[in-house]
Structures are given as structure tokens and as C-alpha cells.
Amino acid sequence: MDGGQIIASVLERQGVRQLYTLCGGHISPILVAAKRIGIDIIDVRDEASAVFAADATARMTGIPGVAAVTAGPGLTNTITAVKNAQLAESPLVIFGGATATVLEGRGSLQDIDQVALMQPHVKQVFTPRSVRQLVPTIEAAFRIAQEGVPGPVFVETPVDLLYPEATVREWYIDQGGVKKPKNLVGYATRAFLEQHLARQFWGAPGPKAQAPVPVPMHDANRRDVDKLLGWLREAKRPVFVVGSQTVSVAAQAPAIAAALESIGVPVWLAGGARGLLGQQHHLQYRHKRTASLKAADLVVVFGFPLDFRLGYGRSIGSKAKLVTVNLGASALTQNRRPTLGVHAHPGRFITQIAAGLGDGAGAQNAQRWQPWFDEISEREQARDAEIVEQGKAEVDGVNPIDLFLQLEQLMADDSVLVVDGGDFVATAAYIVRPRRPLSWLDPGVFGTLGVGGGFAVASCAVRPEAEVWLIYGDGSSGYSLAEIDTCVRRGLAPIAIIGNDGSWQQIARDQIEILGDACGTELLRTAYHTVAEGYGGRGLLLDDPAKIEATLREAQAIAKQGTPVVINVMIGNTDFRKGSISM
């Protein structure tokens, strides 16, 4: 077995079904071997998209996503996507090609210090230097990516560990000019190379790949469980905020959803946890979160940091009992010291609380907390009604609120929602509802633009039966619209909706008001539907509000035939998001 085959065997045992890449000679053996054993090799148009796709795959499946990129510029192109995965706490294994071990630091093609480049952005860097080290190294990479706070790891794979020994020997001996040494220097060089080859291939291929060891969901200690149970029984206005960490073990999502229903506390879902309770659920709320957090007497934040999204902890009333539950010890006290910090898996803690309360507790709690539910529901319904009224307003073009209200009615029950943008996407987040768990993909806390193409490619690959919607801003679409080409080549069919107002509107709104100048925020109302056609997809222009439903239905029909489609929506300006800039 060559190194590529060895790596492929580990990927297969780890349950990997997709490997995302942009080709390069440094990594070719990995791609070819993985394809031969049935792993789907999905080659994208930008290395960042490969890592974004791996990120999305990890979120939807719970198995670390895998990307392989070539050395040097191939790896440097991934940095934003890797950092996004680190901050989103997504488990990834990233393979980076590298120059031959014997040529490191000697000026070979694309040879840079990749370890120093990647170390700040991953949980661990692995640098195998012999073929026999590949299996244990990669198995360790998968384990560490999932342990504790999940995140990306990097495996540097020198090219001379991947190709067959005979090929590497030819590179070293024949092409090194020492096949037939003519002097003492030649004999010494050949001896050095022979020793180096012997060290690389001694003991190859090494141990066989093993089945993965399940990563445990760490329980909270009994004292913490009992303390929260007591507070819940005393509370009159409890609130749960449930974040992405809660669903990091994808297979447990149904049990966690059932536990939340059993507990019966009003819930706000955030990040990757959106959709955990389905499209509509009597415990789930989406609007006026801060107002409820200010009024609550008990707030439990599961797997979600007290960062800018929660006002650095100030969104929660000062008199409330605050419980933070997180896999990261430092996150428990970030920006505000809680009444109780629980270092445990947030999803597991929810199921422990449900078990502690016992069967029938949810119905009893709902009755006891009915005045609190009425108060929250009144705010929720008032905001929903306000949004409907704002959707009726006439604007110069298509009203984006009206567009999303109609999309909400038309999306299939198996839909996956990918969002990539600023103002347009944030408007969508208030209106469209994920239909089921692990079906909402946003960048995460890093606020990265450019995730859309890779996320959509992965969504279609992982769930080929699903209807995949990609909500793009016109600015953000420029980062990854070329992945329509990937979709055409691979038979993937997402529906992309581009909100086209010829502006980086989220920035422009405040920049113009505060600084009086739109410089740097102005775009053209580009014919993105024509761009899609150029890549082999279908493009639809939507500039008439009366044709929203017909255009969305046409896009659905095109996608069902296996063709990716881009709807270029000429939207008008609204003040829906005025004053919403985040710092």
C-alpha cells in the first residue's frame, strides 16, 4: 500500500463519505485511493470552499469533515475557512500536501513553513515523517478533532510519504543524479538518500486502520444537576438559550429535542441549534429575545458564549440566576460570572435535567408558567404581525420581507437553509424557519462571508434528497458563485437566491448615516442570473413583486430536474434592519 491508500483506508473506517478538494500533485494519491474505495471526491473551484464544505458536512453528520489541499498557496487559501471552523467549533481534518521531506527548506516548489501557518487556527498540527506513522497519526487527528471543544486539526502530508516506494526511489536516486555515482560526493549522497528512504518506508504500511472510538458526551456532576432542578422548580420566568455545541453529536439531536419538550421551558435556538425543535413548536421563540432575558428570573445558556450576540452578558437581567453550560471551561465565565457554570456537554446536560424532572413535568411546568408564556407570546405575535405589515410596503423593486414570507410558505419539509451575506441574509433569519435539526448553516460567530458555495455543495452531497436553499447577498455571492460550476459537474442542484440591491447594504446603511459617504460600499446590479448560465446552471431574474411565487416555484421545478439555479432578485431598500450593526 502507498501512503494515499493508507490514508484512504483510515478515512473509510472513520465513516467519511465525502472528501473535498482542489487538486494538486502533492495530494493526488489521497484523492485517487479514496475514490477507488468509494469515497466521493468533490473537487471545488477554491480551496476555501473545500474547507467550508467539510465544515458543513461535519455539522450535518457529526463526523469530522475532510478536506485535502495542495501545498503552499493551496493551504494559505484555506486560512479564513479554517479559522471560521475553529470559531464555529466544527471538527475537521485538513490534509495539506507538502514538499518531499528531503527537500524541506531548500527552496522547492510551494515549500513554506506550514506548521507555523496553521498552529494558531487548529487544535493540533500533525507532521508524520514515515509511512508507518500515517494510520496512528490520522486516527489521532480524528479523535482530537472531536474531543472536548470540537475544532479543526491539520495533517501535513509530505509528497514522498504518499506515492509508491518505487516512484519515490526513482525521484530520489534516478532524478537525484546518483543512480551511478562517479565520485565520493555521489556515493555519499546516494548513501544518505538510501538511509532516508529506509527510515521512511521501514515498517510500512504500519498498523491497520481501526474503527473509531465513540467520543463521550460528558455528564454534568450530580450536584450541578440537582441545583438547577431546584431552581427550575422555584422559577417563575425561566428561559433557555440553546447554541451549536448542544447538537455537536448529531445522532443525539432527536433525544435532546425530546428532552427540551419534556422540560417545558421557553427556548431560543441559536447558531447550528436552529431547527432543533422543527419549524413550529410551542416552546420555541424567535423574536424579542433580549426583552425576555431581561425579565427572566432564571436563564440557562447551553453551548453558546456570552459574546456580542448576547450583549457580552448584559442582555441578561442582573437579578436573574444565570447558568452557563459549555464544553470550554473558559467560556463558562466569558464576560460575566454566572451563578453556576457547568463544564459538561450541553446536550447531555439537557437530557439529564429532563430525566431529573421525570415524565409529565413539561405539562405541569407549562401550566405553572402560563403567565410567562403569555407574556413572551404576546411579544412574539406582535413582532410577527409587524413583519407581515412591513412585507406589504411598496419599495422600488421586490420587498425582501415579502420575498421571504412567501419563501417560508413554499419551502419543502426537508429543506436545508444555507445563509451567506449581511443585510439580506439577516432579514431572512427573522422570517424563514428551519424545518428540522441540523438543517440551518450559517457562518457562526466569525461572521465570515464566502461560506455559501462550499456549504451548499456539501448540503447537496450529504442530503441528495433535500431541497437546498442558498440565501446570498449580492456582495457575498462574489466569493463563491463559481461553485455553480462544481454543482453542474457533480449533479448537485441548490437553489440560490441573490438579494441584489447593488450595495454592501449592511455596511452602507450606518456608514452613510454616521460618516456621510458610501465609498467602498457600492456595487453594480449585476446580472448574476446570466453568470449562473455561463457556469452551466439556470438563471432567473425576479424584478416584479407579482412574480415572486411563480419564480420560486419555477426554481423548485428546475432543481428537481438536477440543475442548480440562481434567482437574481432586484430588491428595494427597507429600514427593517436599521441600527443593527454589531461590534
Side-chain angles (χ1 to χ4, degrees):
M1 296 177 72
D2 63 40
Q5 293 171 313
I6 293 168
I7 291 173
S9 71
V10 179
L11 299 183
E12 183 182 38
R13 291 304 302 271
Q14 293 290 330
V16 173
R17 297 293 175 263
Q18 294 85 21
L19 189 160
Y20 303 97
T21 189
L22 198 158
C23 66
H26 289 98
I27 57 169
S28 292
I30 300 175
L31 309 184
V32 172
K35 178 186 175 184
R36 286 176 179 166
I37 63 172
I39 294 173
D40 195 10
I41 307 302
I42 302 178
D43 51 314
V44 297
R45 297 300 302 271
D46 186 282
E47 287 90 354
S49 289
V51 175
F52 284 134
D55 183 345
T57 298
R59 299 189 200 190
M60 289 188 288
T61 67
I63 298 171
V66 179
V69 299
T70 199
L75 188 64
T76 61
N77 280 349
T78 70
I79 291 298
T80 296
V82 173
K83 194 69 181 183
N84 190 79
Q86 182 191 48
L87 294 177
E89 300 175 348
S90 293
L92 307 186
V93 176
I94 301 152
F95 292 97
T99 191
T101 53
V102 77
L103 294 176
E104 289 175 342
R106 299 182 63 188
S108 65
L109 176 67
Q110 298 178 337
D111 181 25
I112 61 172
D113 186 350
Q114 299 185 147
V115 171
L117 174 73
M118 297 297 287
Q119 272 182 333
H121 315 297
V122 296
K123 293 182 71 175
Q124 189 164 328
V125 171
F126 295 87
T127 55
R129 287 299 179 264
S130 66
V131 175
R132 68 183 179 277
Q133 294 175 350
L134 288 174
V135 168
T137 295
I138 297 164
E139 289 179 341
F142 272 87
R143 185 184 69 253
I144 288 171
Q146 298 172 84
E147 286 179 345
V149 177
V153 297
F154 173 60
V155 182
E156 184 177 63
T157 52
V159 66
D160 51 342
L161 299 189
L162 301 182
Y163 281 84
E165 182 176 0
T167 301
V168 177
R169 178 171 293 276
E170 180 182 355
W171 288 343
Y172 275 27
I173 305 302
D174 292 0
Q175 296 182 25
V178 293
K179 186 175 184 179
K180 296 180 179 180
K182 296 180 179 180
N183 52 42
L184 185 59
V185 172
Y187 280 105
T189 302
R190 174 155 183 158
F192 167 76
L193 293 176
E194 290 283 6
Q195 289 179 342
H196 190 82
L197 283 165
R199 285 194 297 270
Q200 283 183 292
F201 289 97
W202 180 84
K208 290 185 178 180
Q210 302 297 311
V213 177
V215 177
M217 295 175 68
H218 293 294
D219 289 357
N221 65 58
R222 189 69 241 177
R223 182 182 59 186
D224 290 342
V225 173
D226 289 342
K227 188 171 291 188
L228 181 54
L229 288 172
W231 290 345
L232 275 171
R233 294 184 179 107
E234 297 170 357
K236 296 181 179 179
R237 299 181 302 281
V239 166
F240 282 179
V241 177
V242 177
S244 301
Q245 268 188 15
T246 309
V247 293
S248 64
V249 181
Q252 294 299 313
I256 295 166
L260 286 172
E261 184 164 1
S262 175
I263 296 168
V265 170
V267 176
W268 271 261
L269 301 173
R274 288 175 60 115
L276 179 60
L277 295 175
Q279 182 181 4
Q280 302 273 3
H281 195 282
H282 68 281
L283 295 178
Q284 179 180 332
Y285 295 89
R286 299 180 304 135
H287 305 310
K288 303 295 182 181
R289 183 175 69 187
T290 298
S292 295
L293 291 175
K294 288 289 188 184
D297 59 3
L298 173 63
V299 176
V300 188
V301 182
F302 296 93
F304 197 75
L306 302 182
D307 58 19
F308 69 92
R309 294 167 293 181
L310 287 175
Y312 305 98
R314 295 191 302 273
S315 296
I316 299 163
S318 59
K319 296 181 180 180
K321 288 185 176 70
L322 170 61
V323 181
T324 56
V325 189
N326 208 285
L327 288 166
S330 62
L332 296 174
T333 56
Q334 183 180 2
N335 295 314
R336 177 172 171 176
R337 184 166 296 278
T339 315
L340 174 66
V342 181
H343 191 199
H345 192 286
R348 179 63 185 139
F349 190 51
I350 288 172
T351 60
Q352 287 181 272
I353 293 301
L357 288 173
D359 295 337
Q364 296 174 9
N365 288 338
Q367 184 175 5
R368 183 162 58 91
W369 293 326
Q370 192 58 53
W372 178 229
F373 275 103
D374 291 344
E375 180 183 334
I376 300 172
S377 297
E378 183 178 353
R379 286 193 290 265
E380 182 88 357
Q381 292 163 10
R383 181 57 173 150
D384 279 334
E386 183 181 27
I387 290 172
V388 170
E389 286 303 310
Q390 289 176 306
K392 296 176 182 177
E394 292 187 6
V395 299
D396 185 16
V398 173
N399 186 327
I401 301 170
D402 184 25
L403 170 71
F404 290 127
L405 287 168
Q406 294 197 47
L407 176 61
E408 169 63 16
Q409 299 302 314
L410 293 175
M411 283 194 309
D413 290 339
D414 65 356
S415 291
V416 177
L417 279 160
V418 174
V419 295
D420 181 10
D423 204 66
F424 186 64
V425 163
T427 300
Y430 280 92
I431 300 168
V432 294
R433 303 168 187 254
R435 272 35 181 174
R436 63 183 192 179
L438 310 174
S439 297
W440 172 274
L441 295 169
D442 63 26
V445 67
F446 203 27
T448 308
L449 297 183
V451 303
F455 277 15
V457 164
S459 298
C460 292
V462 171
R463 296 190 188 160
E465 78 290 346
E467 190 173 270
V468 176
W469 294 89
L470 166 54
I471 313 299
Y472 262 140
D474 52 350
S476 61
S477 72
Y479 289 92
S480 66
L481 194 56
E483 299 307 339
I484 292 294
D485 170 86
T486 301
C487 293
V488 170
R489 287 184 290 107
R490 302 295 308 178
L492 310 174
I495 305 169
I497 301 178
I498 299 178
N500 191 343
D501 57 4
S503 172
W504 297 92
Q505 184 60 30
Q506 181 161 301
I507 306 303
R509 177 180 286 113
D510 290 293
Q511 180 175 313
I512 293 170
E513 183 171 325
I514 298 171
L515 302 175
D517 197 322
C519 69
T521 69
E522 297 167 308
L523 299 170
L524 298 175
R525 287 191 179 247
T526 298
Y528 297 108
H529 55 297
T530 304
V531 175
E533 299 273 354
Y535 280 122
R538 285 286 303 278
L540 303 175
L541 175 65
L542 175 56
D543 56 5
D544 182 352
K547 296 181 179 179
I548 292 175
E549 180 179 350
T551 303
L552 293 175
R553 290 189 182 278
E554 183 180 0
Q556 289 175 308
I558 293 169
K560 284 181 180 178
Q561 298 302 312
T563 301
V565 57
V566 170
I567 308 173
N568 189 18
V569 188
M570 297 298 170
I571 60 173
N573 292 325
T574 73
D575 61 0
F576 184 75
R577 295 256 304 146
K578 185 175 181 180
S580 59
I581 193 169
S582 295
M583 291 292 182

